[in-house]
Amino acid sequence: MNERFAQYREKITQYWNRFSGKQKILFFSTLFIIIIIIVVLTMQLSKTEYEVAFQDLDSTDSAGVMKYLDSAGVSYRLSPDGKSISVPSTDAARVKVDIGSQGIVQGGSIGYKVFDESSSMIGTTDSEFNVKYNNALNGEVEQLMRRMQGIKDAKVLINLPKETVFASQENQEQASASVVLSFDPGFRPTQDNIDGYFNLVKTAVPNLPIDNITIANNEIELMPTAKGGQAGVSSQVEENFALKKKFEEEVKKNVKQFLSTLTGPDKVDVLVFSQLNFDKENRQEKLVTPVDAENMKGIEISSQIISNTYSGQGNTTGGVAGTGSQDVAGYPSDTGSGTSSSEESSETRNFEVNHITKDIIASPYSVKDLTINVAVEPPTGQNSLDDTTSAAIQNILVNIVRASLADSGVSYTDADLAKKVSVYSQQFGSTDANAASGGLATWMIWAIAAAALLVGAGVGYMIYRSRKKQEEEVEEDIPLQVPTEFPSINMDSMTNESQVRKQLESLAKKKPDEFVNLLRTWLADEQR
């Protein structure tokens, strides 16, 4: 066994001694690098990756999460500020679901869950219940606010009025709420977001009008649209400008697309300017109109005619009533006799007219004004458009403007509409100039290509000459090898074979290189 081991060791030693020093150094360096890579990969693969599962926690929530993780046997890391907790990446999703389902993270708010946790068999007083209810309501609103877009943290204080049975529902005191919000970095709430915050608080608290809600952040107080929020105005203005631009782009595209069929592609340029009416009008009209418009009469629905006639003889009053000095005003002054008659007639007609009630909602986004300017490139060989083409384009543009302004409420004549359109004959680019420009561009391309080839060939030739010159200089610097002078041994003068051997041994010991050369020379002579 020892002999075999010694044989193996001797073979390994012989095999190892075949390598040069550089090869041995390279072998050990490669082996060392491989070992380092294996160690690093092993450490990385066996290392536990942690993922931030909870952040921006207060002390209460952090304590609750840590208590749950300790009981579940899950390792975790607490950040230096105590606001973030990291768990292994493989368990992060499960831990988030478990803690979220148990409601451990409350964001520093209590919520209605406090009544389940702190219920007492004895009961609570009214004052204690009111305090708990108020705190729970504050916490619930805070949790709702944190779920809104862009809100990082919220603090809510709600003041609930004392209820009394002696006041009616209208005379009851109203609640009030104060809210302080912290937004995510870079987030700026729009007016829609702000209105959503106010509506959320309003609907979460009973008997709380929007006027009694105050919401602010660390910069300014937020105002809803009902209280004159300016964000809604600015957003509406931006929307109006966007609609105006979209309308102009649409008109421009349609006009350009249609005229391109007449003049050819890329020969028409259109400029459109418009004014839109963004006013939205709601009005109610109550109209009374006759059925018969010509005679201004309605429909006769009822008619009543009464006629009375009376005649007879007897004393009749006479004279002028109340003319005497002792007469009573309004009474006849004397009496007389004769025949009397009277006649009475009356007629009543009832007509029904049209009663019209109109609830009119005027739609916004109507076109108040529109102007279209068109620049057309004349055909090849012409300096301007002919009158027929120009008139046709003019009529097309007038029809477009007339149709667009139909709901503007203003009557325009043909002369007015003609002032709102214009057609220009404009040479976009001369044909000769284009041809010259195109020829110049082609010539420049070929010239650049040829110059690049020449420069490349010149550089290559220079490099070739430089290398060749360097090789010649190196060859000149290398001294010519002097023929090796081999030591001569006079074989004729030596008669004794022992003397020749001694001289050869002496030469091999003192000058081994010359001895080897001498042997090679002898071998070459023998082969010849």
Side-chain angles (χ1 to χ4, degrees):
M1 185 66 181
N2 293 333
E3 293 179 357
R4 183 176 296 179
F5 180 75
Q7 291 177 0
Y8 287 153
R9 184 177 61 183
E10 184 178 357
K11 290 181 180 180
I12 293 173
T13 304
Q14 291 177 359
Y15 180 76
W16 176 255
N17 291 332
R18 293 179 184 177
F19 296 102
S20 62
K22 293 182 178 179
Q23 291 176 338
K24 293 179 180 179
I25 294 173
L26 180 62
F27 174 77
F28 281 111
S29 301
T30 305
L31 181 62
F32 180 72
I33 292 173
I34 292 174
I35 293 173
I36 291 178
I37 293 174
I38 293 174
V39 172
V40 171
L41 290 177
T42 303
M43 293 177 62
Q44 290 294 330
L45 294 176
S46 60
K47 182 180 179 181
T48 303
E49 295 290 338
Y50 283 85
E51 177 183 344
V52 178
F54 306 97
Q55 56 186 354
D56 297 331
L57 301 175
D58 59 0
S59 58
T60 304
D61 293 338
S62 297
V65 173
M66 292 168 59
K67 182 178 179 182
Y68 172 81
L69 295 177
D70 291 336
S71 62
V74 179
S75 60
Y76 61 89
R77 289 181 179 178
L78 183 65
S79 62
D81 57 359
K83 295 183 178 181
S84 299
I85 296 178
S86 302
V87 298
S89 301
T90 55
D91 300 332
R94 180 177 59 82
V95 169
K96 290 180 180 178
V97 173
D98 293 343
I99 293 180
S101 62
Q102 297 184 16
I104 297 176
V105 178
Q106 298 291 337
S109 57
I110 299 175
Y112 289 131
K113 194 175 181 180
V114 68
F115 293 103
D116 297 334
E117 298 176 352
S118 60
S119 59
S120 175
M121 296 181 63
I122 301 176
T124 59
T125 62
D126 292 341
S127 299
E128 183 180 359
F129 177 81
N130 292 334
V131 171
K132 287 185 178 181
Y133 176 77
N134 201 354
N135 292 335
L137 183 59
N138 293 337
E140 291 292 334
V141 176
E142 288 177 2
Q143 294 177 21
L144 290 175
M145 294 296 290
R146 290 193 186 99
R147 294 178 179 270
M148 299 292 288
Q149 179 184 4
I151 295 180
K152 181 180 180 181
D153 192 14
K155 184 63 178 178
V156 179
L157 178 61
I158 298 174
N159 295 319
L160 297 177
K162 293 182 180 180
E163 297 182 357
T164 175
V165 296
F166 298 103
S168 61
Q169 187 68 24
E170 293 78 9
N171 297 329
Q172 290 283 351
E173 294 183 5
Q174 295 177 340
S176 62
S178 300
V179 182
V180 178
L181 302 178
S182 296
F183 297 107
D184 293 333
F187 177 78
R188 292 190 176 276
T190 62
Q191 188 62 40
D192 293 337
N193 297 130
I194 296 174
D195 292 339
Y197 304 154
F198 278 89
N199 290 330
L200 188 146
V201 179
K202 175 181 179 297
T203 54
V205 181
N207 197 19
L208 176 61
I210 291 182
D211 294 338
N212 291 0
I213 302 175
T214 302
I215 300 179
N217 59 356
N218 55 355
E219 296 178 357
I220 57 174
E221 179 182 355
L222 305 181
M223 302 295 292
T225 304
K227 297 173 65 176
Q230 296 299 322
V233 177
S234 60
S235 61
Q236 187 67 33
V237 171
E238 293 178 359
E239 182 181 357
N240 292 345
F241 274 112
L243 291 173
K244 177 177 178 293
K245 184 177 180 181
K246 182 179 180 181
F247 171 75
E248 293 177 354
E249 291 293 334
E250 190 70 20
V251 173
K252 179 179 178 180
K253 183 183 71 173
N254 293 335
V255 172
K256 191 172 183 179
Q257 182 178 2
F258 182 76
L259 294 182
S260 296
T261 60
L262 301 177
T263 60
D266 300 330
K267 289 190 176 183
V268 179
D269 195 8
V270 182
L271 176 62
V272 178
F273 182 78
S274 65
Q275 289 185 355
L276 303 183
N277 184 10
F278 298 99
D279 297 335
K280 184 177 180 181
E281 181 183 0
N282 295 336
R283 69 177 185 270
Q284 185 181 32
E285 295 182 354
K286 294 183 178 180
L287 305 177
V288 178
T289 59
V291 178
D292 187 0
E294 296 181 358
N295 299 322
M296 294 300 292
K297 289 183 178 182
I299 300 176
E300 185 177 346
I301 59 175
S302 63
S303 177
Q304 182 180 9
I305 301 175
I306 301 174
S307 178
N308 295 323
T309 303
Y310 175 78
S311 62
Q313 294 181 354
N315 295 330
T316 59
T317 58
V320 180
T323 57
S325 59
Q326 295 180 354
D327 294 337
V328 180
Y331 285 88
S333 57
D334 54 1
T335 61
S337 62
T339 302
S340 63
S341 63
S342 62
E343 182 178 354
E344 180 184 1
S345 63
S346 62
E347 182 177 358
T348 303
R349 296 178 184 272
N350 295 324
F351 294 89
E352 183 65 28
V353 295
N354 295 329
H355 296 274
I356 302 173
T357 301
K358 294 181 179 180
D359 293 329
I360 300 174
I361 300 177
S363 176
Y365 315 122
S366 60
V367 182
K368 294 174 60 177
D369 196 3
L370 178 65
T371 58
I372 303 177
N373 302 310
V374 176
V376 183
E377 182 180 8
T380 305
Q382 299 181 6
N383 296 327
S384 61
L385 290 175
D386 56 279
D387 296 338
T388 304
T389 304
S390 180
I393 296 175
Q394 184 87 9
N395 292 332
I396 293 172
L397 299 179
V398 168
N399 293 332
I400 294 174
V401 174
R402 179 184 289 110
S404 300
L405 298 179
D407 296 334
S408 63
V410 180
S411 298
Y412 293 98
T413 61
D414 292 340
D416 296 333
L417 296 176
K419 295 179 181 179
K420 296 183 180 296
V421 298
S422 58
V423 180
Y424 299 93
S425 178
Q426 179 67 37
Q427 193 75 29
F428 293 166
S430 176
T431 305
D432 297 337
N434 290 337
S437 177
L440 181 60
T442 306
W443 175 81
M444 288 180 63
I445 293 173
W446 286 106
I448 292 172
L453 291 175
L454 291 176
V455 171
V459 171
Y461 180 74
M462 294 289 291
I463 294 174
Y464 171 76
R465 288 293 303 272
S466 176
R467 289 183 176 178
K468 188 175 181 180
K469 187 176 181 181
Q470 290 179 359
E471 292 177 357
E472 292 176 354
E473 291 178 356
V474 171
E475 291 178 356
E476 291 177 358
D477 293 340
I478 298 175
L480 298 175
Q481 295 182 355
V482 179
T484 305
E485 295 181 0
F486 300 106
S488 60
I489 300 176
N490 191 357
M491 302 298 296
D492 297 335
S493 62
M494 295 182 185
T495 58
N496 192 357
E497 183 179 355
S498 62
Q499 292 180 357
V500 175
R501 190 189 336 178
K502 289 181 180 179
Q503 191 172 359
L504 291 174
E505 291 178 355
S506 176
L507 181 63
K509 292 180 180 179
K510 295 180 180 179
K511 298 179 180 179
D513 296 336
E514 295 180 0
F515 177 74
V516 172
N517 292 331
L518 179 60
L519 291 178
R520 290 177 178 175
T521 303
W522 285 351
L523 292 174
D525 292 341
E526 289 179 359
Q527 291 178 357
R528 292 176 184 175

